[in-house]
Amino acid sequence: MAAARRGELTPAMRQVLAAERIDENDLLAGLASGTIVVPANHKHGSLRGCGVGKGLRTKVNVNLGVSEDCCHVERELDKVRRAIELKADAIMDLSTFGDTRAFRRRTVELSPVMIGTVPVYDAVARYGKEVGRITVDDFFETVHVHAEDGVDFMTIHAGLTQTALQRLKNRPRLSHVVSRGGSLLLDWMSANDRENPFYEHFDRLLALCREYDITLSLGDGLRPGCLKDATDAAQIQELILLGELSARCREAEVQVMIEGPGHVPLNEVVANMQLEKKLCQGAPFYVLGPIVTDVAPGYDHITSAIGGALAGAAGADFLCYVTPAEHLRLPDAQDMKEGIVAARIAAHAADIAKGIPGAQDWDNAMGEARRELDWTRMFELAIDPEKARAYRASSRPIDAETCTMCGDLCAVKRSRRILAGQ
């Protein structure tokens, strides 16, 4: 942000310009004002700069990491490699067990995409204490370790304050607090009868982020965990506080994103996007889903893609993928693939709706390939070429130019012949 305000292009900014159709002056203006961020810790040596925000492609994040129940480090590292192959724009390491630092360092080392973490998770794993006995210095030392390891953006639930919690107590929820980081801080605040340490010591956090050029992703600890709780007083109170904190980030020249819901009925998705943009002065919005119905376990990659497409079209800048395993178990590699593909479809659909320059060119090329019945080109253009080829190979037509759905009644082949005057 400081460089952009001086009118200077950094190497990471140049990489963004090479990957996006945005004017150099527009990029600098967006970075200077805070409507665009380029998460790029200077210790992440393998990083390829990626922009998130106004006028840029909607980006997709993948969550992974080891847990106590599924502590398979090499399997998770394979998922890191596979996520990169599947064109994820970011990876969040949410590890909560074992040698989390070794896993995090290996992830940063092999990943050209930006890496995010939630340090409060790691503080629990790192110190092995009851949550209430973790000290303020423990929390900040964990943030410092993640910074040293090259993490580009960090989720910090600094807006979950005593004021926000009072809103929750005044109007109880059906699903209470479903954010893991939010629940940990709730536990700490209750055990110590104190304010959220990241809110109370926010300037200390800003100093660390400024030193390493880490982007703050202000977490939504009070995001709704079911439709009934969506857009309630607790969620909006936290969002108001995040807006105030985002202004402090800009004053300190620290890049900031805002995290959002969560479970939201379809008719409230647009309003949630508008509220964030208004209250947070246009800061990039990073949303989980949103999941638009609660009754589809095993299919939540679909429920979130529906919400994500609408959210993106209405202004969301960054979609956190959701897999079929959401609410059920740790995702495996196949779950991860389905989640990435669903989120990428949603992001691309949103880009077309937003009029992102060049977004529809991809679709136009596919339309041309289908007109010509150019199957090789169709596979090359498919968002999942592997699946498209497998489907085609599983049912061979008599006429190799057509498919087994229509065969000799292929409308494309027939109309092309007639309109060509043959």
Side-chain angles (χ1 to χ4, degrees), residues 83-94:
I84 295 166
E85 290 174 3
L86 291 167
K87 301 182 180 179
D89 300 293
I91 292 170
M92 287 201 78
D93 171 18
L94 306 185

Side-chain angles (χ1 to χ4, degrees), residues 137-187:
D137 286 341
D138 289 340
F139 281 130
F140 277 91
E141 176 58 24
T142 305
V143 172
H144 186 256
V145 167
H146 284 221
E148 276 288 322
D149 291 344
V151 170
D152 304 294
F153 65 99
M154 295 185 192
T155 294
I156 305 287
H157 300 86
L160 197 159
T161 64
Q162 294 289 357
T163 300
L165 286 176
Q166 191 58 50
R167 296 286 183 272
L168 182 64
K169 292 173 182 177
N170 291 344
R171 293 178 61 183
R173 285 178 160 184
L174 181 61
S175 294
H176 306 303
V177 176
V178 299
S179 160
R180 183 165 41 180
S183 69
L184 290 170
L185 285 170
L186 176 65
D187 189 357

Side-chain angles (χ1 to χ4, degrees), residues 182-198:
S183 69
L184 290 170
L185 285 170
L186 176 65
D187 189 357
W188 188 92
M189 292 161 66
S190 176
N192 293 281
D193 193 24
R194 289 180 59 183
E195 184 57 276
N196 182 333
F198 292 111

Side-chain angles (χ1 to χ4, degrees), residues 15 95 136 147 216 365 402:
Q15 290 170 332
S95 295
V136 172
L216 264 183
T402 67

Side-chain angles (χ1 to χ4, degrees), residues 154 175 189 202 204 207 214 228 237 306-307 309-310 346 420:
M154 295 185 192
S175 294
M189 292 161 66
F202 196 65
R204 182 176 177 181
I214 289 164
K228 190 176 187 301
Q237 176 64 67
I306 294 168
L310 183 56

Side-chain angles (χ1 to χ4, degrees), residues 317-390:
D317 307 283
F318 196 10
L319 306 183
C320 186
Y321 91 148
V322 175
T323 76
E326 184 79 5
H327 304 109
L328 301 172
R329 62 171 170 81
L330 190 78
D332 63 19
Q334 182 59 31
D335 296 326
M336 183 186 73
K337 177 184 176 179
E338 291 185 39
I340 292 173
V341 172
R344 286 187 60 209
I345 292 168
H348 180 61
D351 289 346
I352 294 168
K354 282 190 284 195
I356 297 297
Q360 195 171 319
D361 291 353
W362 185 6
D363 301 78
N364 294 345
M366 179 63 87
E368 181 178 351
R370 284 177 172 156
R371 181 195 68 206
E372 300 302 318
L373 293 170
D374 184 343
W375 294 97
T376 299
R377 181 64 174 149
M378 285 186 239
F379 297 147
E380 291 171 352
L381 290 165
I383 202 164
D384 183 1
E386 183 180 287
K387 188 169 187 176
R389 288 192 182 96

